[in-house]
Amino acid sequence: MEIALIIVGLVVVAAIVYFVTKKAPPPEIAAPPEPKKLPEKAKQPAGKPAEKPADRPRVQKKPPAEEEPPAKAKEPAPREEPPAATPFPVEVPAVPPPSARAVPPEPAVAEAPPVAATVVEAPAEKPAPARPARETTPPGARKRDVEGLRKGLTKVREREGFFGRLKALFAGKKEIDPNVVEQIEEVLLTSDVGVKTTELLLDEIRSALSRNELADTDKVWDALREHAKRILRVGAGGGLSLKTQPTVVMVVGVNGVGKTTTIGKLATQLKAEGRTVVLAAGDTFRAAAVQQLNVWGKRVGCEVVRGKDGANPGAVIFDAIQKAKETGADVVLADTAGRLHTKTNLMEELARVARTMNKAMEGAPHETLLVLDATNGQNAMQQAALFKEALPITGIVLTKLDGTAKGGVILGICAEHGLPVRYVGIGERAEDLREFEPDEFVEAMLGRPSGTEDAAA
């Protein structure tokens, strides 16, 4: 019986072991859900999911991959890769920091300075040309202008010129010659000063001599210079008055005085000051004038409005003004055909052109500059008188002063016609067209007969 019970017990134990072993596999089958999560994490390698040790070396290889995501992360933000990348930097924190820290500072430093430089340079360049051109240069440039004017007026200052002949009257003399007034009169008349202006100057000198105010030749010389300055101080001074936008400037004169060249030089100077200029080729009767203006426009960088050969000059200038208003230009420089001042029909045509300009813009032309050739002498005086009758002349441009030994015509124009001189031309370069300053011009033309000024001249 005992043996039987032992056998039965063994059978029972075996049965229990059998059932236990049958229930054990379910937990082994239940374990797969954990590896199921592993393949989800191991989707990136797409290689060996079962080998756990292979994951660790991959962690070491993926720091370079972590350097790539920052570049890729800017474009594909919605990818599923970022969540998988989060565990990796946690496991290997030591590898990414050096590479990550070394890379970002370089682009940060490289990008920051250029942005700051462009922002600083742009505003610094815009105000610079506008302000110093008006405020800083004039005081310092006046001394240089006197020297430059003297070089340009070399013929006037020579022995046979206006200045040289006056200087010869007083050289080496301490006492006044009784005939000094007649001698001065001869010099003034032969230097194109004009009869009226000569009489005006001599009357003042005679009255001063009668009052014994001119005791020596130096005082007579100083009196001449002061009277000349007073005559030339007519109007508002040199340069253009740019009070409106656009300011329309009409340039007139006879053939050959240098109208088109004067316009090109003015455009160069205005462009250098930061102004935008439109050139109107109103001399439609001379093809060479249109071509010359086109050359100036390309050289300076200004737009040129022109029409066909023989077109209505008023229509061309009208279109130029409209173009300037559309583009927001600052100045319109309108060229006109040269004409004889003695032809009344041509002068009337100029008046019609001026009325057309007023239709394009009320108040235009704002400036009407008469260009005169200084070498024409008394003929230039007559031109000024007739052009003044036909048009409201606002200023004179006296060109080719470097080509005449007389130069006194400038005094006659200001004294007899009351027209201010705006510019004087003393050379071929654009900078040789100078804004007129009476005091500087008198010092350059009628500098003291002795001293350092003459030595420099």
Side-chain angles (χ1 to χ4, degrees):
M1 292 296 292
E2 295 177 356
I3 294 171
L5 291 172
I6 292 171
I7 293 171
V8 171
L10 291 175
V11 172
V12 172
V13 171
I16 293 170
V17 172
Y18 176 76
F19 286 107
V20 169
T21 54
K22 277 187 177 181
K23 293 179 181 180
E28 293 178 0
I29 296 170
E34 297 177 358
K36 284 180 182 178
K37 296 179 181 178
L38 292 175
E40 291 177 0
K41 297 179 181 179
K43 284 181 182 178
Q44 292 178 351
K48 300 176 182 179
E51 294 181 0
K52 295 181 181 178
D55 295 340
R56 293 180 180 175
R58 287 180 187 176
V59 172
Q60 296 177 355
K61 292 179 181 179
K62 286 188 177 180
E66 291 177 2
E67 298 175 1
E68 298 176 1
K72 295 179 180 180
K74 295 180 180 178
E75 299 176 359
R79 291 185 182 179
E80 296 180 357
E81 296 178 4
T86 50
F88 292 104
V90 177
E91 295 179 3
V92 189
V95 179
S99 60
R101 290 175 186 172
V103 175
E106 294 177 357
V109 174
E111 294 175 2
V115 174
T118 52
V119 174
V120 173
E121 290 175 2
E125 292 176 358
K126 292 181 180 179
R131 293 180 181 174
R134 297 180 181 177
E135 301 174 3
T136 307
T137 40
R142 287 179 181 175
K143 294 181 180 179
R144 293 194 298 271
D145 283 346
V146 173
E147 296 176 0
L149 282 172
R150 282 177 177 169
K151 292 179 181 179
L153 299 173
T154 300
K155 290 189 176 182
V156 176
R157 296 178 62 83
E158 288 176 349
R159 181 176 298 178
E160 300 300 325
F162 180 34
F163 169 82
R165 295 171 64 192
L166 283 175
K167 177 182 176 182
L169 297 179
F170 304 103
K173 298 178 181 178
K174 294 183 179 180
E175 296 181 358
I176 298 177
D177 189 338
N179 300 321
V180 67
V181 176
E182 287 75 12
Q183 294 172 353
I184 294 175
E185 180 180 12
E186 180 183 357
V187 173
L188 294 177
L189 289 175
T190 55
S191 298
D192 293 332
V193 174
V195 177
K196 293 182 180 179
T197 308
T198 299
E199 289 298 326
L200 177 64
L201 289 172
L202 293 179
D203 287 344
E204 295 175 350
I205 292 176
R206 287 193 187 97
S207 61
L209 287 172
S210 63
R211 296 191 301 269
N212 294 326
E213 294 178 357
L214 304 179
D216 53 30
T217 56
D218 288 341
K219 291 185 178 180
V220 175
W221 187 265
D222 292 340
L224 279 173
R225 295 169 64 214
E226 289 302 321
H227 296 330
K229 289 179 183 180
R230 189 180 69 253
I231 291 174
L232 295 177
R233 290 169 186 160
V234 178
L240 293 174
S241 178
L242 306 178
K243 297 180 180 179
T244 59
Q245 187 180 7
T247 298
V248 181
V249 182
M250 184 181 186
V251 182
V252 299
V254 302
N255 291 315
V257 294
K259 296 187 303 298
T260 307
T261 302
T262 297
I263 289 174
K265 292 178 179 179
L266 281 175
T268 303
Q269 295 180 7
L270 292 170
K271 191 74 175 180
E273 295 175 2
R275 310 281 186 179
T276 53
V277 183
V278 174
L279 304 181
D283 189 354
T284 57
F285 298 102
R286 191 167 64 96
V290 179
Q291 295 175 0
Q292 185 181 0
L293 205 63
N294 280 331
V295 172
W296 276 107
K298 292 179 181 179
R299 184 185 304 172
V300 179
C302 300
E303 186 171 359
V304 180
V305 178
R306 62 176 185 174
K308 297 180 180 179
D309 293 343
N312 186 350
V316 174
I317 299 175
F318 184 95
D319 293 341
I321 296 174
Q322 295 298 327
K323 186 69 175 179
K325 291 166 67 177
E326 293 173 2
T327 59
D330 297 313
V331 184
V332 177
L333 298 178
D335 194 9
T336 59
R339 58 204 68 224
L340 292 175
H341 53 286
T342 55
K343 300 292 185 180
T344 56
N345 59 332
L346 296 179
M347 299 300 287
E348 291 176 358
E349 182 180 323
L350 271 182
R352 289 196 297 270
V353 172
R355 289 193 293 269
T356 303
M357 297 168 71
N358 190 37
K359 293 179 181 178
M361 181 178 182
E362 187 177 356
H366 307 99
E367 293 275 6
T368 303
L369 299 181
L370 173 60
V371 182
L372 298 175
D373 186 344
T375 61
N376 287 339
Q378 290 299 304
N379 193 20
M381 297 275 289
Q382 186 181 6
Q383 294 172 21
L386 295 178
F387 272 94
K388 183 182 176 182
E389 292 179 1
L391 295 168
I393 303 296
T394 60
I396 299 293
V397 179
L398 194 61
T399 62
K400 306 179 186 180
L401 268 171
D402 56 321
T404 180
K406 298 179 179 180
V409 65
I410 191 171
L411 294 170
I413 292 173
C414 293
E416 296 186 21
H417 302 296
L419 295 174
V421 177
R422 297 295 184 85
Y423 293 92
V424 290
I426 56 172
E428 297 296 329
R429 300 174 302 173
E431 55 268 27
D432 290 333
L433 183 68
R434 296 173 178 265
E435 291 187 10
F436 182 73
E437 294 292 339
D439 294 349
E440 293 174 0
F441 186 83
V442 171
E443 288 300 322
M445 185 173 67
L446 298 176
R448 291 183 181 277
S450 61
T452 57
E453 292 182 355
D454 257 4

